[in-house]
Amino acid sequence: MEESIINDLPDDLMLKIFSLLPMFKDSVASRLISKRWKDGWKLVPDVIFDDRDKSCGSLLAFMSFVYGSLLINKPRVLERLHLKLSRKHSASDIDFLVNIAVDRSVRKLRIQRFGETLELPSCLSTCITLRSLILHEVRIKVVPTCLLLLSLKSLHLLSVQFSGDRSFASLLGSCPSLEYLIINQTQVDSAKMLEVIAPWFRLPSLKSLHLLSVKFSGYVSVASLLQSCPVLENLVVKQTKCCNVMFRVAPYRIFLSSLRRLHLFSVKFFSGESAECLLRNCKALEDLVIHRTKDDNVKIFNIKVPTLKSLSIENSRRKHAYVQESHGFVINAPALEKLNFKDTFSNFLIFEYMHEVTKANIEVICDQSEKFIGSLTSVQHLSLCCLTSETPYPKGRFFFFLEHLELCTCSAGWANLLACLLDDFPRLQSLKLKSQHSARYNDPTTNLWNEPTVVPKCLSTHLEILEWRQYEGTEQEKNVAAYILANAPCLKMATFSTRCRNKYHRMLRKLKKLKRVSETCQLVFE
């Protein structure tokens, strides 16, 4: 009966099942299940060999199984081969396995040696189908001079230790068509530094580069590597706490004229000038992400990028405290369209006018916030978390294009801030209230809501959607909800959700009793 059911499965489904099996020999075992599929397992495109599997037995038994499986049974195309080799395999053994994969037109090859030395098989040079190569936890001493990976597009170096004068550069130099490169050294390998890149070195096709916890031996080595990528479009640099060597950049030598996306996570610069020069030399930059580290040397981060369209800044690793020196950002990005800004440390913020910004997410406690939120005159979507009841922009300024507002209710003055915002956002159509952070600023016994004497224009003519997350049913919240429901004739839907399930039914009854001026308003409880 069971065999009959398996025989009735579609071919595509059976191949999918085989592909998900963790070990290649599990697919071999499938021959015992159904006669129809006794040879179907040969078509499985993904193969994983792991010599840590106890069922493999001795090293000799494991190698015999691998040799027998790949030699006797020849699949049409081997999409991916993953070798997890923790035992003491000779170079000839690995060469033999890789050579068989090359003969099967392998497209993706991953080799993991658990810290052991790997001699890169020279037979890879004959593989015209290889598109992706991942080397994981390996030591590379020498790269064969004859190695040439003409078809390779993607290379991942994960926890790789290089030794020798030019092993790192030689490996990259053997990939003239490389487009995607990830270099990730973990703590195990952090003591090993990559050598300085030679001036003649080039990666002519590289479009995306990720440098994650990488250490270089010279202050010009990073600059040399970046300078060798003339068509680079995407650069991600991440530095971790375990890296005790500063990520050095020689900005005057870096000209990234094709770079469009730059992500900097906890990157240390020599000074603010070096960071500014790096950005200045990115003439086509459109997407910038910055996560600042507490140990960087940049006091005022000057971002002057006329081509920038998307900017995301995270500067909230430390609790806000008084600092004598100025720390913060000066941002001049006239073409900016999207802004994410989270900063609980800076005491100095200046934004030039950015008339193109249509979506902004801002969380800030700086008392100078009015100097930059007021520059977002064309914003249509605004998510705001402000720890004071003061409007974070100059008085008398109106935001005529703003239609969607998300306001965090974590501060004590959020209700009065909302009253001010409603007056200054005359075309507001959608309002979302949420406690994005802990409610440590909320006091359920305090009522700071001062009901406006004149109904804001957005309530009387435009507001259609009200969404309230983490509604607690406090006296202040109930008063705000009652005011909105009683003065929003265009309201189509009001949604309330709560974390207090034991109070759910009581809050539900109270909300249902509130007056609704809109006859078509749908009240939703979640």
Side-chain angles (χ1 to χ4, degrees):
M1 178 63 69
E2 294 180 356
E3 179 176 331
S4 176
I5 294 175
I6 293 178
N7 282 330
D8 292 337
L9 293 178
D11 292 359
D12 292 342
L13 179 57
M14 287 300 299
L15 289 178
K16 181 65 175 178
I17 292 174
F18 291 158
S19 298
L20 295 175
L21 293 175
M23 281 294 293
F24 192 71
K25 63 179 181 178
D26 289 338
S27 297
V28 179
S30 66
R31 290 179 292 175
L32 304 177
I33 300 176
S34 172
K35 294 179 180 178
R36 171 192 170 203
W37 286 98
K38 66 179 182 179
D39 294 320
W41 70 279
K42 301 175 186 177
L43 304 179
V44 175
D46 294 342
V47 177
I48 301 176
F49 285 116
D50 189 346
D51 65 3
R52 298 172 301 169
D53 189 343
K54 295 180 180 179
S55 60
C56 293
S58 65
L59 176 61
L60 179 61
F62 172 77
M63 296 305 298
S64 299
F65 167 73
V66 175
Y67 290 165
S69 299
L70 291 180
L71 282 174
I72 298 174
N73 305 286
K74 184 176 181 179
R76 292 179 301 183
V77 174
L78 188 57
E79 179 69 23
R80 180 174 68 98
L81 175 62
H82 186 176
L83 297 176
K84 296 183 178 181
L85 308 175
S86 63
R87 306 184 189 184
K88 297 292 183 179
H89 298 280
S90 65
S92 59
D93 287 337
I94 298 176
D95 285 351
F96 192 81
L97 289 174
V98 173
N99 193 40
I100 297 174
V102 170
D103 188 43
R104 270 69 174 168
S105 302
V106 66
R107 296 177 182 176
K108 300 177 182 178
L109 175 62
R110 177 168 184 154
I111 303 177
Q112 184 176 2
R113 291 288 285 125
F114 301 92
E116 296 294 329
T117 300
L118 173 68
E119 296 183 19
L120 289 169
S122 57
C123 63
L124 289 174
S125 298
T126 64
C127 187
I128 61 175
T129 59
L130 188 64
R131 296 291 185 269
S132 174
L133 175 62
I134 300 176
L135 301 179
H136 186 196
E137 293 182 329
V138 303
R139 297 174 182 267
I140 296 179
K141 296 181 178 179
V142 178
V143 176
T145 55
C146 60
L147 186 68
L148 188 59
L149 307 176
L150 291 175
S151 62
L152 194 69
K153 300 292 184 181
S154 175
L155 175 62
H156 294 215
L157 303 176
L158 312 178
S159 304
V160 176
Q161 289 189 350
F162 289 92
S163 60
D165 294 337
R166 295 181 178 178
S167 57
F168 173 67
S170 297
L171 176 58
L172 296 185
S174 67
C175 312
S177 302
L178 194 64
E179 297 180 358
Y180 188 80
L181 173 61
I182 292 182
I183 306 175
N184 184 2
Q185 286 196 321
T186 61
Q187 297 183 25
V188 176
D189 304 294
S190 61
K192 190 68 179 177
M193 297 181 181
L194 301 179
E195 66 274 13
V196 177
I197 307 300
W200 50 262
F201 182 78
R202 285 294 179 272
L203 292 171
S205 302
L206 193 68
K207 296 181 179 180
S208 182
L209 173 62
H210 291 224
L211 300 174
L212 312 176
S213 305
V214 178
K215 289 186 178 181
F216 290 85
S217 59
Y219 73 94
V220 298
S221 56
V222 177
S224 300
L225 178 59
L226 296 180
Q227 193 63 43
S228 68
C229 310
V231 298
L232 190 65
E233 297 179 358
N234 181 38
L235 174 61
V236 177
V237 183
K238 183 175 182 180
Q239 195 167 7
T240 59
K241 295 181 180 179
C242 62
C243 295
N244 52 14
V245 175
M246 177 178 292
F247 184 90
R248 296 176 171 87
V249 176
Y252 296 104
R253 296 189 54 191
I254 302 177
F255 297 96
L256 302 172
S257 57
S258 299
L259 195 69
R260 297 182 180 275
R261 291 171 295 277
L262 175 61
H263 294 192
L264 304 173
F265 297 92
S266 303
V267 175
K268 301 175 185 177
F269 290 91
F270 276 136
S271 62
E273 183 182 2
S274 64
E276 182 180 351
C277 290
L278 173 62
L279 297 179
R280 185 187 305 131
N281 292 331
C282 301
K283 301 299 184 180
L285 190 63
E286 296 181 355
D287 178 23
L288 176 61
V289 176
I290 298 176
H291 285 209
R292 295 193 63 176
T293 173
K294 64 180 180 180
D295 298 321
D296 65 21
N297 292 328
V298 182
K299 293 188 173 97
I300 303 297
F301 212 113
N302 196 338
I303 301 173
K304 186 177 181 180
V305 185
T307 57
L308 199 62
K309 295 182 178 180
S310 176
L311 174 61
S312 180
I313 292 178
E314 167 77 47
N315 189 30
S316 57
R317 298 160 315 285
R318 293 168 289 184
K319 294 182 178 179
H320 183 66
Y322 175 77
V323 288
Q324 186 173 4
E325 296 181 300
S326 295
H327 291 266
F329 296 88
V330 175
I331 299 178
N332 185 354
L336 198 65
E337 299 174 356
K338 183 178 179 181
L339 172 65
N340 287 291
F341 193 85
K342 183 177 181 181
D343 190 340
T344 59
F345 180 75
S346 296
N347 58 12
F348 184 85
L349 298 172
I350 295 180
F351 278 26
E352 301 294 336
Y353 280 103
M354 296 174 289
H355 302 285
E356 302 298 323
V357 174
T358 58
K359 189 171 184 179
N361 185 353
I362 297 174
E363 179 184 342
V364 65
I365 62 175
C366 176
D367 54 7
Q368 297 182 354
S369 57
E370 72 278 359
K371 294 185 178 180
F372 68 88
I373 295 181
S375 67
L376 309 176
T377 55
S378 299
V379 66
Q380 297 176 11
H381 296 73
L382 176 62
S383 179
L384 181 63
C385 178
C386 189
L387 301 187
T388 72
S389 60
E390 299 294 326
T391 53
Y393 49 83
K395 293 184 181 299
R397 179 152 296 170
F398 294 92
F399 295 77
F400 294 102
F401 299 98
L402 196 137
E403 298 179 348
H404 306 274
L405 171 65
E406 293 185 13
L407 179 63
C408 185
T409 61
C410 65
S411 68
W414 72 267
N416 283 337
L417 175 60
L418 174 62
C420 297
L421 297 177
L422 293 177
D423 275 332
D424 298 335
F425 301 161
R427 295 182 57 186
L428 188 67
Q429 296 180 13
S430 174
L431 172 62
K432 182 176 181 179
L433 302 174
K434 58 181 180 178
S435 181
Q436 186 172 329
H437 311 94
S438 62
R440 59 185 180 276
Y441 304 106
N442 271 334
D443 183 354
T445 64
T446 303
N447 185 2
L448 298 178
W449 167 252
N450 294 321
E451 186 174 296
T453 55
V454 178
V455 177
K457 184 179 179 180
C458 67
L459 287 186
S460 59
T461 59
H462 290 287
L463 191 68
E464 298 179 352
I465 303 295
L466 171 63
E467 182 181 355
W468 200 321
R469 299 293 174 185
Q470 292 88 41
Y471 180 81
E472 304 293 339
T474 65
E475 189 67 21
Q476 177 174 256
E477 291 180 342
K478 188 180 71 171
N479 290 339
V480 173
Y483 182 82
I484 294 176
L485 293 175
N487 293 282
C490 300
L491 199 62
K492 296 179 180 179
M493 179 176 292
T495 303
F496 295 84
S497 66
T498 181
R499 293 173 293 193
C500 303
R501 306 310 299 177
N502 57 332
K503 300 180 181 179
Y504 176 80
H505 295 290
R506 184 176 60 181
M507 287 190 295
L508 177 61
R509 288 194 301 269
K510 290 183 178 181
L511 287 170
K512 281 185 175 181
K513 292 179 181 180
L514 296 179
K515 177 185 174 181
R516 278 174 280 168
V517 67
S518 173
E519 297 179 355
T520 60
C521 178
Q522 181 181 359
L523 209 56
V524 179
F525 302 95
E526 297 178 350

